[in-house]
Amino acid sequence: MNILDWNALDADGQARALTRPVQAVAEQTRASVAGLITQVREDGDVALRGISARFDGVAPERFEVGESEFAAAELAVPAELRIAMQQAADRIDTYHRAGMARPYAVETAPGVVCEKMIRPIGRVGLYVPAGSAPLPSTALMLGVPARLAGCREVVLCTPPRKDGSADPAVLVAARLTGVHRVYKIGGAQAIAAMAYGTESVPSCDKLFGPGNSYVTEAKQQVAQAGAAAIDMPAGPSEVLVIADAGANPAFVAADLLSQAEHGPDSQVLLLSDDAALIAAVQDEVEAQVAQLAREGIARQALAASLLIKVDSIAQAFAISNRYAPEHLILALREPRRWLEQVEAAGSVFMGDYTPEALGDYCSGTNHVLPTAGAARAYSGVSVASFQNQISVQAASAEGIANIGPCALTLARAEGLGAHANAVALRLGVTP
Amino acid sequence: MNILDWNALDADGQARALTRPVQAVAEQTRASVAGLITQVREDGDVALRGISARFDGVAPERFEVGESEFAAAELAVPAELRIAMQQAADRIDTYHRAGMARPYAVETAPGVVCEKMIRPIGRVGLYVPAGSAPLPSTALMLGVPARLAGCREVVLCTPPRKDGSADPAVLVAARLTGVHRVYKIGGAQAIAAMAYGTESVPSCDKLFGPGNSYVTEAKQQVAQAGAAAIDMPAGPSEVLVIADAGANPAFVAADLLSQAEHGPDSQVLLLSDDAALIAAVQDEVEAQVAQLAREGIARQALAASLLIKVDSIAQAFAISNRYAPEHLILALREPRRWLEQVEAAGSVFMGDYTPEALGDYCSGTNHVLPTAGAARAYSGVSVASFQNQISVQAASAEGIANIGPCALTLARAEGLGAHANAVALRLGVTP
């Protein structure tokens, strides 16, 4: 871990400290993903089968999970895990439901009513990765808001295991949330299948979920081509912790490590105004990392991590807002007092008893969040991510009499004669 | 105009009828835009000056509009237009304000409070085109929600006129809505300047607004590069009208023409279950188009337009949902009864007295809307487009005692030991 004194750095040094390692997509990745997408688009299931055999070592005759596999999954998942998933789903439901947009109507002039209707996006595709481990929690994070939105068709793709089956916990999670169809397809080929459709996979209007660099690149390419919308651009996961002198070094170290174990490219930052706390955290990290099953991964991420000494907690917030972290942990004595300082972040964790892991699994908030600074202009997944908001207006004869002259004046100013004519005809005046 | 009988077409013919002309971005456009972006990114204002001289025929010494030019604009704009802009801004404010997201908090378990905070996106860039005519209405449609969101810095770019000045009506509209800085820069170079920043133009987190194919391509490229988020992908404007036998052919024709005059690539569709109405609309279009100042443009758009005879109004809605039009006009006797059939559209106009022109200017709804079928998964611009929604969670010691075991179970199932450890440490148990 690298310790920096923020105020000893010049502007360039400060900028460098907050620059994420460029996730340069190799030209080869780009081309390879483009090739996979073209194959799936042109040859459908046949292409999927070939690609799956090549990358997953298995070419399922049938991609869609059938009833017998769902039934077997229910038996395979321990009761404790099933109950935990149900509890998590319930809390995700509670939080997301409370924030749902409501339709509204307002009279903007006598006889002119403007409304907003909320409609589910028709067909949505969820991607649940299974790289180093399958992630049933991601199925919950995507499936619950899709169900709340009321999407007509919810499709989920997840990579097959070597024996051609899907991870049972992912299947149970998908069923818990009411996902309609699950397909054993992974990687860029899954994204292509859901964007363009194949004989067995329906094409979807919008695609959601995290994934490796191939999945991410595939999402970008299908979005760019206009084939499907996507939830957000994605990059490696990251956490920024702001800790004061009263923070518990063991807790802070554990939070840094739970980010670091995600992957070698995970971003981990600690900002504190207390040098002793920083030193104590460093010692704790060293002690804890040696105990981890994923020690190797965590050590790689830690090598690029930063512990930054700042002059004040206020300065820490200024730096955090500039960095715009995916996860922001406030290991502070009075976190609520500081909350209003947060301008850009994906999700905020307040105080000593709210580790990021709670939000990852079961506090109720969503764990699909903007990374790589995207939190400056993107928000995490919510029910709104699965809905369209459609504006509606209705003017009566009185209504157009009231606002028509305003429209006429503007249409004339913009030189749009047919616009003026459409209004003038209704008003019975000369355009 | 082309008349089709929907039910006489086979599935392929139906699919073809609803396929928008591919807006293939020529490789040359793509490369040329990429070149402009690189120039602006590397050489800043110097590059802007050179590009502006080449494309706009003028190279302003200073791009930012100063106080004296704003003052001159106030004098140059007729009182009637100023009043109309103010009225439109007020109604846009009323409608958009009523739909603003509110922060909320919910206890998802005893001792676990999850919240949503709303924060303005820090720096936003608005693009107001001035191709065949300057569009002060677009400045209102973007400036009002940016102000309601509370964005810290609102930048607006609009192309310079031949004499180096900006359109006075656009300047007055920008001032009306509280835009902070206006720059006389147009085209792809304006998008590049707002995405990457130059000596005089601040870099922005998100870019908004319509534009020609160069502007659209530039927005896509800077978004793809992660330099700035964008409001939505954009294409030519379009309208779909559903009319019954009782509709007024002159009104319907005027609405089709007010779409057609936007540009030669505008999309215009009429669906009706009444052949007589279709014939009458066709006659009316012919009579009205000859009177238009923009007759040439409208005729080009009409050449690709479709008048489609359907079996029933219900069938018309099924077709409309498949097409997902930017503008949907319901020229029906009981439009409200049909409204629930609308699944995908940008904005809906109900009844005989609500021409699209009202929404374009001053009903209060936004005219920056998804085109080219994007309405299946994108919504029009709203205050939310200028805001981030940040989730916040706070667990007390009691809270983590309640939900921590659930997180532990899930972390173990996903093989994430450091996640489990971060929870276990707080619970005082073995991970």
Side-chain angles (χ1 to χ4, degrees):
Chain A
M1 305 185 85
N2 312 289
I3 300 190
L4 294 178
D5 181 344
W6 183 258
N7 295 291
L9 298 172
D10 61 11
D12 277 358
Q14 292 177 344
R16 255 198 315 278
L18 297 189
T19 302
R20 286 147 172 105
V22 178
Q23 300 298 322
V25 179
E27 195 43 55
Q28 206 194 327
T29 305
R30 211 183 292 278
S32 146
V33 166
L36 292 174
I37 292 175
T38 304
Q39 281 178 56
V40 172
R41 191 177 175 180
E42 288 176 359
D43 299 329
D45 285 350
V46 170
L48 284 179
R49 231 163 257 130
I51 297 166
S52 195
R54 211 165 102 216
F55 291 116
D56 301 318
V58 58
E61 191 42 49
R62 183 182 147 89
F63 295 107
E64 189 172 357
V65 174
E67 271 316 310
S68 62
E69 192 173 348
F70 277 114
E74 295 286 348
L75 293 173
V77 168
E80 186 191 11
L81 177 55
R82 206 203 135 80
I83 292 168
M85 290 197 288
Q86 182 65 60
Q87 289 175 340
D90 288 347
R91 280 192 290 270
I92 296 166
D93 185 284
T94 299
Y95 174 71
H96 286 71
R97 186 185 295 271
M100 285 172 71
R102 288 181 186 78
Y104 71 95
V106 58
E107 197 177 50
T108 56
V112 181
V113 175
C114 294
E115 306 176 41
K116 187 86 93 178
M117 306 197 295
I118 317 279
R119 292 287 188 268
I121 294 176
R123 296 170 302 179
V124 297
L126 318 181
Y127 186 75
V128 175
S132 49
L135 300 175
S137 59
T138 298
L140 302 178
M141 293 293 172
L142 299 175
V144 170
R147 179 180 59 189
L148 284 169
C151 297
R152 193 170 64 240
E153 187 152 19
V154 184
V155 168
L156 186 152
C157 281
T158 193
R161 301 191 294 185
K162 291 274 170 259
D163 67 358
S165 67
D167 178 73
V170 169
L171 294 186
V172 171
R175 269 290 163 97
L176 267 181
T177 64
V179 166
H180 302 112
R181 301 183 188 196
V182 177
Y183 293 87
K184 294 175 279 189
I185 311 172
Q189 62 273 24
I191 301 302
M194 293 192 285
Y196 290 102
T198 69
E199 296 86 337
S200 60
V201 184
S203 71
C204 297
D205 301 315
K206 189 170 180 180
L207 307 182
F208 296 80
N212 62 22
S213 58
Y214 284 82
V215 168
T216 298
E217 173 62 19
K219 282 173 70 185
Q220 297 266 27
Q221 288 190 15
V222 299
Q224 184 79 358
I230 61 172
D231 49 356
M232 66 187 83
S237 193
E238 57 200 27
V239 72
L240 186 152
V241 180
I242 300 179
D244 59 20
N248 181 321
F251 291 180
V252 172
D255 292 345
L256 296 177
L257 285 169
S258 55
Q259 193 59 50
E261 77 170 341
H262 268 300
D265 50 6
S266 287
Q267 298 286 298
V268 174
L269 283 88
L270 169 66
L271 307 182
S272 180
D273 58 350
D274 188 68
L277 185 274
I278 289 177
V281 168
Q282 199 173 24
D283 291 347
E284 272 290 341
V285 166
E286 202 42 57
Q288 290 182 25
V289 70
Q291 312 298 318
L292 294 181
R294 296 165 72 96
E295 177 184 357
I297 292 171
R299 283 202 187 274
Q300 286 181 68
L302 290 176
S305 71
L306 297 177
L307 310 182
I308 303 179
K309 167 72 173 62
V310 293
D311 272 354
S312 65
I313 297 300
Q315 185 175 50
F317 277 90
I319 296 169
S320 174
N321 288 328
R322 191 166 151 195
Y323 181 77
E326 180 190 15
H327 302 100
L328 172 60
I329 298 182
L330 308 185
L332 300 172
R333 296 320 89 206
E334 296 181 86
R336 181 154 297 278
R337 185 167 80 79
W338 289 101
L339 193 57
E340 69 178 28
Q341 302 292 319
V342 178
E343 290 173 9
S347 194
V348 182
F349 300 79
M350 293 212 292
D352 294 342
Y353 292 97
T354 319
E356 190 203 304
L358 290 191
D360 287 343
Y361 291 121
C362 62
S363 65
T365 64
N366 209 289
H367 79 200
V368 181
L369 296 166
T371 56
R376 290 183 202 106
Y378 291 86
S379 307
V381 162
S382 69
V383 180
S385 312
F386 293 87
Q387 292 174 321
N388 295 321
Q389 303 213 351
I390 304 176
S391 57
V392 181
Q393 47 252 294
S396 62
E398 180 205 3
I400 197 168
N402 282 322
I403 71 168
C406 173
L408 268 182
T409 301
L410 282 157
R412 286 186 195 120
E414 294 187 352
L416 294 174
H419 284 63
N421 192 47
V423 176
L425 261 180
R426 269 96 168 176
L427 294 176
V429 302
T430 315
Chain B
M1 305 185 86
N2 312 289
I3 301 190
L4 295 178
D5 181 346
W6 184 257
N7 296 291
L9 298 171
D10 61 12
D12 278 357
Q14 292 177 344
R16 256 198 314 278
L18 297 189
T19 303
R20 288 150 170 102
V22 178
Q23 301 298 322
V25 180
E27 196 42 56
Q28 207 195 327
T29 304
R30 210 184 293 276
S32 146
V33 166
L36 292 174
I37 291 174
T38 304
Q39 282 178 54
V40 172
R41 191 178 177 180
E42 289 177 357
D43 299 327
D45 285 349
V46 170
L48 283 179
R49 230 163 258 129
I51 298 166
S52 195
R54 211 163 103 216
F55 290 116
D56 301 318
V58 56
E61 191 43 46
R62 183 184 147 89
F63 294 106
E64 188 172 358
V65 174
E67 271 316 311
S68 62
E69 192 172 347
F70 276 115
E74 295 287 349
L75 294 174
V77 168
E80 186 192 9
L81 177 55
R82 207 203 135 80
I83 292 167
M85 290 197 289
Q86 182 65 60
Q87 290 175 339
D90 289 347
R91 281 192 289 270
I92 296 166
D93 185 284
T94 299
Y95 174 72
H96 286 71
R97 186 185 294 272
M100 287 173 70
R102 289 182 185 77
Y104 71 94
V106 58
E107 197 177 49
T108 56
V112 181
V113 175
C114 294
E115 306 176 40
K116 187 85 93 177
M117 305 196 297
I118 318 279
R119 292 287 189 267
I121 293 176
R123 296 169 302 181
V124 298
L126 318 181
Y127 186 75
V128 174
S132 49
L135 299 176
S137 59
T138 297
L140 301 178
M141 293 293 171
L142 299 175
V144 170
R147 180 179 57 188
L148 284 169
C151 297
R152 193 170 64 240
E153 187 151 20
V154 183
V155 167
L156 186 152
C157 282
T158 193
R161 303 191 292 187
K162 290 274 171 258
D163 67 358
S165 68
D167 178 73
V170 169
L171 294 186
V172 170
R175 270 290 162 95
L176 267 182
T177 64
V179 165
H180 302 114
R181 302 185 187 194
V182 177
Y183 293 87
K184 294 174 279 189
I185 311 172
Q189 62 273 25
I191 300 302
M194 293 193 285
Y196 290 102
T198 70
E199 296 86 338
S200 61
V201 185
S203 72
C204 297
D205 300 315
K206 189 170 180 180
L207 308 182
F208 296 80
N212 62 21
S213 58
Y214 284 82
V215 169
T216 298
E217 173 62 18
K219 282 173 69 184
Q220 296 266 27
Q221 288 191 14
V222 299
Q224 185 79 358
I230 60 173
D231 49 357
M232 66 186 84
S237 193
E238 57 200 28
V239 72
L240 186 151
V241 180
I242 300 178
D244 60 19
N248 181 321
F251 292 180
V252 173
D255 292 345
L256 297 178
L257 286 168
S258 55
Q259 193 60 50
E261 77 170 341
H262 268 300
D265 50 6
S266 288
Q267 299 286 298
V268 174
L269 284 86
L270 169 66
L271 308 183
S272 180
D273 59 350
D274 189 66
L277 185 275
I278 290 177
V281 168
Q282 200 174 24
D283 292 347
E284 272 290 342
V285 166
E286 202 43 57
Q288 290 182 25
V289 71
Q291 312 298 320
L292 294 180
R294 294 163 73 95
E295 177 184 356
I297 293 171
R299 282 201 187 275
Q300 286 181 70
L302 290 177
S305 72
L306 298 176
L307 311 181
I308 303 179
K309 168 73 173 60
V310 292
D311 273 355
S312 65
I313 297 300
Q315 186 175 49
F317 277 90
I319 297 169
S320 174
N321 287 330
R322 194 167 147 192
Y323 182 77
E326 179 191 15
H327 303 100
L328 171 61
I329 298 181
L330 308 185
L332 300 172
R333 297 320 89 207
E334 296 181 85
R336 182 153 296 278
R337 185 166 80 81
W338 288 102
L339 193 57
E340 67 178 29
Q341 302 293 320
V342 178
E343 290 173 9
S347 194
V348 182
F349 301 79
M350 294 214 290
D352 295 341
Y353 291 97
T354 318
E356 190 203 304
L358 290 191
D360 288 342
Y361 291 121
C362 63
S363 65
T365 64
N366 209 288
H367 79 200
V368 181
L369 296 166
T371 56
R376 290 184 203 106
Y378 291 86
S379 306
V381 162
S382 69
V383 180
S385 312
F386 293 87
Q387 293 174 321
N388 294 322
Q389 303 212 352
I390 304 176
S391 57
V392 181
Q393 47 253 292
S396 62
E398 180 206 4
I400 196 168
N402 282 323
I403 72 168
C406 174
L408 267 182
T409 301
L410 283 157
R412 285 184 196 124
E414 295 188 352
L416 294 174
H419 284 62
N421 192 48
V423 175
L425 261 180
R426 270 94 169 178
L427 293 176
V429 301
T430 316

